[in-house]
Amino acid sequence: MILRAKNIEFYYDSNQKFQIPDISLDAGDQMLVIGKSGSGKTTILNIIAGLLKPKSGSVTIDGTDIYSLKGSQLDKFRGKNIGIIFQKPHILAPLTVEENLQLANFFVRENTQMIEPLLKELGIFDKKKARINTLSEGEAQRVSIARALVNKPKLILADEPTASLDDENAAAVVRLLQTQAKKYNAALIIVTHDQRVKDHIPNLIIIGGQL
Amino acid sequence: MNMIKLSWKYLIAKPLSTGLNILLLGLGLAIITVLILIQDQFENKMTKDAEGIDLVVGAKGSPLQLILSSVYHIDFPTGNIDLKDAMALSKNRLVKNIIPLGLGDNYQGYRIVGTNHDYLALYSATFSQGNAWEKPFEVVLGHEVAEKIGLKTGNTFIGSHGIGSSSHEHDAHPYVITGVLAPMGNVLDKLILTSIESVWYTHDEEHDHATHEAPVAKKGFPITDQDREVTSLLIQYRNPIAAVQLPRFINSKSALQAASPSFEISRLFELLGIGVKLIQGLAIVIIIIAGLGIFIALFNSLKERKYDLAVMRTLGASSWQLFLHIVLEGVILTIMGAVVGIAIGHLFLVILVMQNDQGAISTLSAAVFLKEELWILGYAVIVGILASLIPAWNAYQTDIAKQLTKA
Ligand SMILES: Nc1ncnc2c1ncn2[C@@H]1O[C@H](COP(=O)(O)OP(=O)(O)OP(=O)(O)O)[C@@H](O)[C@H]1O
Ligand SMILES: [Mg+2]
């Protein structure tokens, strides 16, 4: 079991608690979390990623209860085991594409030798010296995927990766995430309100009521 | 990739702000550098040049002027004194040694100093060419003089009257160079040394060939039955009592004036000290402004950067690494400011020395590096840390989830 989220309780305002189902995924499993805007999708993702401590319950990744980790231990654990892709590709603008990936390696003190193969696979190898502001939106999205994968995570979390893309590109990105996750035998969770993604991943949970 | 490189990348991503901050800090530190260099060299040189001279005696006037003209050869002499008065003084039991100086001539702005061989001994002068003067009109060049005017042993030249370079030339009697001094690193480097007799005879109307061939006095005063003058006397005390009695005796009894180099120098430094303090204050204000500038730049950039910082955290950076990231940015900035400042300081001194090839400033050297300059680097690092502490703490506290949800 790679991910197990159990009895998670969370609220910003105690009158409005989020309904968060238990989640368990094995290596290579894929899951979709669907819900309308404001339903708490990003919140759930943050909790699973170790970015937001739940009020109660536990998140166990590859046997480690992540919220029992202290300070920088959790940061290192996250860097090593969880790859996060944001809705907008948040690439560090002062760095080149390649340096963005090197930074991910640096923070976990490992050279995973993945930079070149990933950039090649994602078709952005010729952009490795480029800056974010010279990339197209699709290219930037692929860079952020490459960066999420460069530390060979066991769990990949994607927050609305298709929101700003047209049908064709949305499908391509989802397919890309799926093949990469399969290839490195990582569990994949995609969080979205985008109905188009449903066709690709049958295993889904819906939060915050029916859409 | 490493933390330093990461901070560096963020710095060069905004070259204008980075450049301005470096320049501003550099200017403040350049002023401090120049002050340190000048102060150190002036004090060193002035103390060195006055070593072994307990008292200077000359015509009445400003005591500081007397010291400046007779010890450092940078001001005009206060006038001349009677040889008889001077010789009378040499018989005083409190005087151990007395070196007469005859000033008033120059060659291309380099002062010709009439004296005796004791003056060479006072500074333990050594020769790179030739020997000391033996006869009238024989001269010895200081190292720098020889280099600048391009003359060597055996060459001759004609001196000019006055101590500035623009005065008229004496028509007769060329000086013959018998020796060139080794580089001394003191006032001798810029002097042309000769006998008292040479200075006398150049100013005489008629020329007596017999006396011009006679050897000159190598110690004490020249023996003459004529009414002659010298400019000033450098005196060494016989004992500590002399320091109390001799100046008072000279200043009260005779037409002469006595001035103590150490006293006058410390008075001079006191006067200069006020100016130095003012400039120092100005430099510190500039450095504080630069520090504030760096603080503001970091603080403002943090607003746009919160997101980047949150992303770094998701990549595995710890809070402390974010803290370090911002502090490093401040410190790299200020270290560069310090390097630029020290460089500007030295460059400024090079230009200053180039524009003044004679006089007090020309004795300065820009190629000297002091350990105080390492302090400048240290101060700069402290400024960098102070300026980045609050922004860094802010970065440390970045709430990742909130930050990532916001956009
Ligand atoms: N830091 C916070 N403090 C208080 N309330 C918050 C905070 N972050 C989110 N919320 C609220 O929690 C709810 C869920 O937010 P969340 O970002 O998880 O929604 P979402 O499902 O990701 O929506 P979207 O599809 O628009 O991204 C929203 O009503 C939001 O206003
Ligand atoms: Mg969201």
Side-chain angles (χ1 to χ4, degrees), chain A residues 79-81 112-114 148-155 184 186:
Chain A
K80 264 201 175 82
N81 298 293
T112 52
Q113 311 284 356
M114 290 278 285
L149 296 172
V150 74
N151 287 344
K152 294 194 203 160
K154 299 194 174 75
L155 175 64
Y184 299 107

Side-chain angles (χ1 to χ4, degrees), chain B residues 41-120:
Chain B
Q41 295 189 31
F42 260 149
E43 281 194 28
N44 262 346
K45 280 235 159 80
M46 292 201 110
T47 338
K48 213 161 128 194
D49 287 347
E51 228 163 274
I53 304 171
D54 294 324
L55 199 69
V56 179
V57 175
K60 287 239 190 271
S62 149
L64 183 59
Q65 192 185 343
L66 179 62
I67 299 294
L68 290 178
S69 62
S70 294
V71 179
Y72 304 109
H73 300 276
I74 44 181
D75 202 349
F76 290 91
T78 47
N80 283 340
I81 59 175
D82 236 9
L83 183 64
K84 288 197 192 72
D85 291 342
M87 289 179 81
L89 198 59
S90 70
K91 302 210 173 66
N92 193 303
R93 63 185 167 79
L94 294 168
V95 173
K96 181 172 152 208
N97 193 16
I98 195 160
I99 304 171
L101 298 180
L103 307 174
D105 286 352
N106 80 88
Y107 178 65
Q108 292 187 8
Y110 292 103
R111 296 185 180 201
I112 299 171
V113 179
T115 181
N116 61 29
H117 289 192
D118 284 348
Y119 192 62
L120 295 170

Side-chain angles (χ1 to χ4, degrees), chain A residues 42 87 159-160:
Chain A
T42 301
Q87 179 172 343
D159 190 0
E160 317 223 24

Side-chain angles (χ1 to χ4, degrees), chain B residues 395-406:
Chain B
Y396 176 90
Q397 290 184 311
T398 307
D399 181 335
I400 332 169
K402 214 182 210 161
Q403 225 20 264
L404 292 173
T405 316
K406 223 194 269 174

Side-chain angles (χ1 to χ4, degrees), chain A residues 184-196:
Chain A
Y184 299 107
N185 201 28
L188 170 69
I189 297 179
I190 298 178
V191 148
T192 190
H193 66 255
D194 187 348
Q195 298 288 339
R196 298 175 294 182

